[in-house]
Amino acid sequence: MSSAVRSSARLAGLARKAVPVSARGYATSIPARAHHQVVVVGAGTGGVTVAAQLLRARGSEKTDIAILDPAATHHYQPGWTLVGSGLKPLKDMSRPLDAVIPAGTQHYPLRVSSFDPENNAVKTAEGVDITYDYLVVAPGLETNFSGIAGLQDALQDPASLVSSIYSDKTVEQVWRNVQAFKEGEALFTQPAGIIKCAGAPQKIMWMALSQWKRDGVRDQIRPTFATGAPAMFAVPKYSQALEQLRQERGVDGLFQHNLVSVDAKNKVATFKNLADEGKEVQREYGFLHVVPPQKPWDWIAKSPLADAAGWVDVDKSTTQHTKYSNVFSLGDASSLPNSKTAAAISSQAPVLISNLVAAMRGEQGKASYDGYASCPLLTGHNELMLCEFKYGGVPKETFAGVFGGQEKPRRAFYHLKKDFFPLVYWNSFVKGTWFGPKGWSKPKSS
């Protein structure tokens, strides 16, 4: 692109002034300005996978790639449900960031502050400008614990029996609380709006109920699932099955009830009833699991790349930006209108790579993303409902020909989630060799 060429030319011969940056416990020197062929913002699942697949793409093995992310650790976030359920240790769900960034990729431990797509530039809080020919935006989203009054204080008090699987800082407390709770009101919440892994709020509920049954205290516990959504799940087929499960297992349902505050001292949770003009509803609890509201990062939402809702505005089929043709996005930060899950990224990434490589060759990309996402929804020990679907809430089930409809929880699916997927993630997914429903077979379109 002409603007990309101009950007590169402006930087040619530019003296590089070193800026010291402290990162991961050691000091490094980073230029005040730098240019790369492809800049990836975010070293989570989406960003690392894109970098790894791009380096493996035919004809782009020597692509100059840089990743911007200030984190020291890469987390396998789908595994936090396993940690909260007592099935896996937290240490198995993370790796040092350097261990997952592909070899040959330049890593800048910098915080993005703004985007200047007209000049193909990313500006950072540390004062470093990184310019690019092509940009991939994949920083995930923000879990906003401060969006619920009183929640942060409650989470810091182990005696409160308030916890959340949505942070590596709080997830281990979930399992301790499940073990400690023996009788009373147990509340499990899900906020209104978009969140990552929309099935996770009830995964931990089903696992807690299963554990309490194992411990012989289930009959003394009165569980409630309080969700800002109007139903158990967004896909009708699975929602119906989960609603039946809720009724069979004696779980009270508070639908369109959004948690707004937690009073840990008096053990009271306050909700707004979205179906009744926001009327406040208070519920006492003995055990409370909270999923915080989530939103785009401000530096995304306020940028020229964002749509009206704050997500990176991309075509839902190509993952290419609707205005800036040298910008792509996938994962939680993108406007792709489907569930924000790692499984979705496994199908988005090869499409993005195919279309990005085509753009780098001056061609029109032909790969298309159908909205595939998956939610391996734990419903108890040794059982899991493998929800798979595409745009429009249409089921797209990988194993339907073997097992029949996947709305029925099965033990085989449970072991996929518990044992198989973590291994695949560390050994293949982030190394660019895993393609979701296609397994290790690269889709033909990419």
Side-chain angles (χ1 to χ4, degrees):
M1 294 187 178
S2 58
S3 60
V5 173
R6 290 196 302 271
S7 175
S8 181
R10 283 198 305 272
L11 288 166
L14 184 67
R16 293 188 173 185
K17 177 182 176 184
V19 176
V21 177
S22 178
R24 297 189 297 281
Y26 61 86
T28 185
S29 185
I30 294 177
R33 288 178 179 269
H35 179 84
H36 293 274
Q37 186 179 9
V38 178
V39 170
V40 179
V41 174
T45 301
V48 169
T49 300
V50 161
Q53 289 193 17
L54 184 56
L55 289 171
R56 290 176 175 272
R58 182 175 298 177
S60 61
E61 299 89 343
K62 296 182 180 180
T63 303
D64 172 26
I65 305 173
I67 291 183
L68 279 67
D69 196 312
T73 306
H74 179 101
H75 298 284
Y76 174 54
Q77 295 185 35
W80 288 346
T81 306
L82 303 175
V83 176
S85 303
L87 299 176
K88 296 284 185 180
L90 181 59
K91 65 180 179 63
D92 289 353
M93 301 303 138
S94 64
R95 298 283 189 278
L97 190 58
D98 285 344
V100 297
I101 290 180
T105 302
Q106 175 69 51
H107 174 221
Y108 293 102
L110 303 174
R111 298 180 183 276
V112 173
S113 59
S114 64
F115 295 93
D116 181 7
E118 296 293 341
N119 293 297
N120 296 329
V122 177
K123 299 180 181 299
T124 70
E126 293 81 4
V128 179
D129 290 352
I130 309 291
T131 57
Y132 56 83
D133 295 335
Y134 298 90
L135 176 68
V136 177
V137 186
L141 49 68
E142 181 180 4
T143 49
N144 184 24
F145 284 95
S146 63
I148 298 174
L151 175 58
Q152 289 178 304
D153 289 339
L155 289 171
Q156 293 172 9
D157 178 8
S160 70
L161 289 187
V162 178
S163 57
S164 177
I165 60 169
Y166 272 75
S167 168
D168 63 311
K169 304 295 190 298
T170 61
V171 64
E172 290 178 299
Q173 186 62 35
V174 177
W175 175 234
R176 289 193 288 267
N177 288 358
V178 169
Q179 292 176 296
F181 193 59
K182 304 300 181 184
E183 62 177 332
E185 305 288 341
L187 284 178
F188 299 83
T189 75
Q190 176 171 339
I194 293 174
I195 63 171
K196 52 185 164 185
C197 194
Q202 59 179 300
K203 291 179 190 178
I204 193 62
M205 176 184 73
W206 298 124
M207 290 305 299
L209 295 182
S210 182
Q211 185 62 46
W212 289 329
K213 184 177 181 180
R214 286 184 163 197
D215 293 344
V217 298
R218 173 64 184 85
D219 291 344
Q220 285 75 54
I221 294 173
R222 297 173 294 281
T224 297
F225 184 58
T227 172
M232 292 294 287
F233 201 70
V235 178
K237 175 179 181 177
Y238 304 121
S239 184
Q240 292 169 10
L242 290 163
E243 173 63 16
Q244 182 177 347
L245 205 63
R246 181 188 70 79
Q247 295 183 24
E248 291 174 352
R249 296 185 180 180
V251 178
D252 189 17
L254 282 181
F255 296 100
Q256 294 187 275
H257 279 63
N258 199 41
L259 181 67
V260 293
S261 69
V262 177
D263 179 352
K265 181 179 179 181
N266 295 301
K267 292 190 177 298
V268 174
T270 300
F271 300 85
K272 282 191 176 180
N273 185 345
L274 305 180
D276 190 11
E277 300 180 339
K279 180 181 178 180
E280 287 196 349
V281 175
Q282 292 188 332
R283 293 288 293 262
E284 293 183 355
Y285 67 85
F287 173 103
L288 176 61
H289 179 269
V290 178
V291 176
Q294 289 150 53
K295 63 187 183 70
W297 296 103
D298 285 346
W299 44 272
I300 293 283
K302 296 176 181 179
S303 80
L305 301 179
D307 64 10
W311 309 104
V312 182
D313 193 6
V314 295
D315 182 275
K316 72 175 188 177
S317 297
T318 66
T319 75
Q320 190 171 30
H321 199 274
T322 57
K323 181 178 180 181
Y324 303 101
S325 59
N326 64 335
V327 177
F328 293 78
S329 182
L330 80 170
D332 296 353
S334 75
S335 65
L336 298 171
N338 68 330
S339 294
K340 297 184 180 296
T341 67
I345 290 172
S346 74
S347 287
Q348 293 166 4
V351 170
L352 185 153
I353 293 300
S354 179
N355 292 332
L356 172 58
V357 170
M360 293 167 68
R361 294 172 178 165
E363 303 170 358
Q364 181 65 44
K366 297 180 180 179
S368 180
Y369 173 56
D370 66 1
Y372 173 84
S374 174
C375 178
L377 209 155
L378 290 158
T379 55
H381 290 87
N382 299 314
E383 58 175 66
L384 183 144
M385 185 183 297
L386 185 56
C387 308
E388 293 183 289
F389 44 92
K390 58 183 180 178
Y391 284 143
V394 177
K396 186 181 180 181
E397 298 179 339
T398 304
F399 301 101
V402 179
F403 295 110
Q406 292 178 192
E407 74 277 11
K408 180 179 179 180
R410 296 183 183 276
R411 181 165 190 157
F413 298 155
Y414 172 85
H415 288 291
L416 282 178
K417 167 72 175 176
K418 176 179 174 289
D419 303 313
F420 181 71
F421 289 153
L423 288 174
V424 165
Y425 186 81
W426 296 120
N427 294 305
S428 294
F429 200 147
V430 292
K431 294 182 179 180
T433 59
W434 177 255
F435 304 100
K438 296 290 184 180
W440 289 278
S441 300
K442 188 177 180 181
K444 292 181 180 180
S445 62
S446 56

